[in-house]
Amino acid sequence: MRADTSQSKPIYLDATAPMLQPRELGKYLPGIVAGGIDAVFTSAGAIEDFRTTMEIIANWLEIERAGKQKIKIARSVRDIRSAKAAGETAIVFHFQGADPIEDELDFLNVFHDVGLRAMQLTYNSRNRLGDGCFEPTDAGLSKFGRKVIRRMEDLSMAVDLSHAGARTALEATEAATRPIVVTHANARALLDTPRNISDDLIRAVAASGGAIGVCAAPFFLTREKQATLDMLIDHVAYIADLVGIEHVGLGFDFAEEDEDDYVYFGYDERYIPMPPWQFPVGIASHAEAGNVRSALKARGFSDKEVTGVLGENFLAVFERIWGA
């Protein structure tokens, strides 16, 4: 059952915030607060092993325990709303790849118990579950990948298809029985790059009852021009026209990376330039997140539709996956 939001203020949610890490919380949290964002999905793991990822999560849990920063580790939609009511920023643990579970299905149980609520099946390259978006073969979902989806659904954990290869992603939608999300990607019809998603995948995610978070990464918006907030809204409008505005959210994917990060994460120079990256004019950081509301209104979206895109659409999906 969907929680009653009539007595609570709408949530502004960023479904992907990879730069928000324990050591840099003090650097980035003020911008998040200034931009009016209530909840963020932090990339607590991606291509790291189990131990390294647990160390990151342990650092987050210690920050919450110490109480020196106004954050709350959120494990439910209720937690997200209560954090806002208390003047805290809700932090949701998200993996941008399944490498932290290694080849142990039961490691998912451990991560769920410490707060993991969403996980991508793959990152850019092939892993034990399937092929990432930059693999030339795109061999699809593995048998282990199917087992992982079943366990994630048993745990009420959101399956995220961001960064997945096209075949891997579509096979995942066929294997899943609950809503699926794409936390941060744009429409390939507007910019043809492997990190953006096809109309077929957009339709499949919507048919599952899920949602897609449009992404501010400039190289997923344009190749030749300076990216702008208006380009981001183009993707909102396109997906809304294709499957309905209720299936659209935001996953900004703001990141400050260097050449070492570029190599570590396996970026492909055909599609992603070497950093530093210049994020879109008008939405270059969390501090400018307030501009999205007025840009959506300027495109003719209603107040209710804007509220949905800013966070309530994703929260409705997560209620169906996690429970209230």
Side-chain angles (χ1 to χ4, degrees), residues 93-149:
F93 293 154
H94 171 225
F95 286 176
Q96 285 212 50
D99 283 13
I101 72 169
E102 300 178 2
D103 58 357
E104 296 290 341
L105 196 61
D106 291 347
F107 283 178
L108 270 171
N109 301 5
V110 178
F111 283 126
H112 181 268
D113 281 357
V114 295
L116 182 66
R117 289 299 179 267
M119 184 177 78
Q120 289 171 205
L121 300 182
T122 67
Y123 195 56
N124 294 325
S125 302
R126 177 180 297 146
N127 66 8
R128 297 175 179 89
L129 281 66
D131 279 1
C133 59
F134 293 148
E135 285 291 343
T137 55
D138 193 14
L141 193 65
S142 71
K143 286 190 284 187
F144 184 62
R146 295 174 191 276
K147 290 180 181 179
V148 168
I149 289 174

Side-chain angles (χ1 to χ4, degrees), residues 229-291:
L229 173 55
D230 201 47
M231 292 176 184
L232 183 74
I233 305 304
D234 288 342
H235 288 267
V236 173
Y238 181 86
I239 297 171
D241 287 343
L242 188 66
V243 295
I245 191 65
E246 67 273 18
H247 298 291
V248 187
L250 299 168
F252 290 124
D253 200 22
F254 293 127
E256 291 186 7
E257 297 183 359
D258 58 24
E259 293 184 10
D260 289 339
D261 296 320
Y262 191 92
V263 174
Y264 177 76
F265 287 115
Y267 296 128
D268 190 320
E269 62 185 8
R270 292 173 297 174
Y271 311 112
I272 300 178
M274 189 70 71
W277 301 320
Q278 189 171 2
F279 279 81
V281 173
I283 185 64
S285 69
H286 283 119
E288 295 186 322
N291 295 338

Side-chain angles (χ1 to χ4, degrees), residues 57 87 132 151 250:
I57 290 175
R151 180 64 62 86
L250 299 168

